[in-house]
Structure formats: structure tokens, C-alpha cells
Amino acid sequence: VQNISYSSTVRGLGASETFVTTQGDTDSIQAFQVFVDEHYINNLGLKLLAGENFQSEEKFRERSIIVNDVFLEKHSIANPADALGKVYTVDSLELQVIAVVKNFNFMGLREPIYSFLFRYNPSQFRYANLRVASTDINSTLEDMQAIWHKLSPETPFEPKFFEQEIAESCDSYKVMLKIVGLRGARALSISCVGLLG
């Protein structure tokens, strides 16, 4: 295991919705959020355009956010560095922008990239994201399962590869394409029979 990070969801499989209000304003703007720790951005290879990552002290009291490019556009901020230090109200908390992350797909690939923010709150973490380098992945997973069983014997160990998660999320899209393709072929066949008649 080369790196471990924690998050509230799996990248590319969605995020929770929230509303963000600028200090001194009454109107809120929709945004999506994912809760992550200080290792997540580096572990998943995301790029910071300005500012610095979360610090481990954040786990004791949530006080900052990391936003994306689209967030800046929605709030009419042209330069990522200009967003640093700005305070927004999110879920009744006043949170300060400490960094800007380059846009990335946090929803499915069919979705556009929305206004987005990272927050740090360990009570929201549901997934451990592990970067693993192994010549025998089955043996590595067995070792992980043995350790997991010692830590939490009543909870099943459910590892998944990132590629597997993304592939499963695309299955419904593939089924929809097949249905549309079959209906299109049927409509084309009926049209051809009509022309032949």
C-alpha cells in the first residue's frame, strides 16, 4: 500500500448536493460536495491551481473548503488566487477557501462538471482509497482482509478496484444504448418495409 486516503464517496460516482451563500448575500448557489482527508487530492492525482491542501488539524473543527474552476465561474472570480481567503456559508458553517482544484469529473462521464467543493469532516468518511503496487494482488487482498477482520470482524471486507467501480456505473448506460439501438433498428426496418411496399 503506497498511499491511503478517505472520502465520503467514490470519485466519478457522484457527490452530495448543497447550497453556498456568499458572506453578506442572501441568495445561495447550488454546488456539489465530497468530504475528503488531507491525502485525497495527492492520492487521486488531482491538481491544485492555487492554495494549499487541508491540514490534519481540520479534523478537530471544520473551517475550510477547496473549490473547483466552475465554482469560481459561478461566483465571478477570474483568477484562482483571488478566491483564496473568501468565506462562504455552507450548511450553516462559515468556511474559508484555502485552495482551488482543477476541474475533474466527480460525477459520471455523461454529466457536465458542476460547481464543486471539498470539505474535511471525518464523520462523513465512508471509503478508504488505497493506491496499491503489488505483483500478487490476490495475496495482497488476502492480507488486507486478515487485517480488516481483526479491526472489524462484524463488518464484511468489500474491496473494489477503481476501474471496476467505473465500469459498473457505466453498465446502465450501455444497456440504454442497446435499447435505443434496437428501437432504431426496428424503426429503420419498418421504414424499409414501407418503402418496399
Side-chain angles (χ1 to χ4, degrees), residues 148-159:
W148 178 269
H149 187 69
K150 289 178 185 175
L151 297 173
S152 184
E154 68 283 349
T155 309
F157 178 66
E158 299 175 357

Side-chain angles (χ1 to χ4, degrees), residues 58-93:
E58 190 86 12
K59 67 181 72 170
F60 301 111
R61 184 173 69 86
E62 187 181 2
R63 57 183 180 271
S64 55
I65 54 176
I66 296 174
V67 301
N68 71 347
D69 285 327
V70 177
F71 186 97
L72 301 188
E73 291 170 19
K74 295 286 185 186
H75 293 273
S76 302
I77 301 172
N79 187 350
D82 294 340
L84 303 180
K86 291 195 179 293
V87 177
Y88 296 93
T89 303
V90 185
D91 298 334
S92 302
L93 294 173

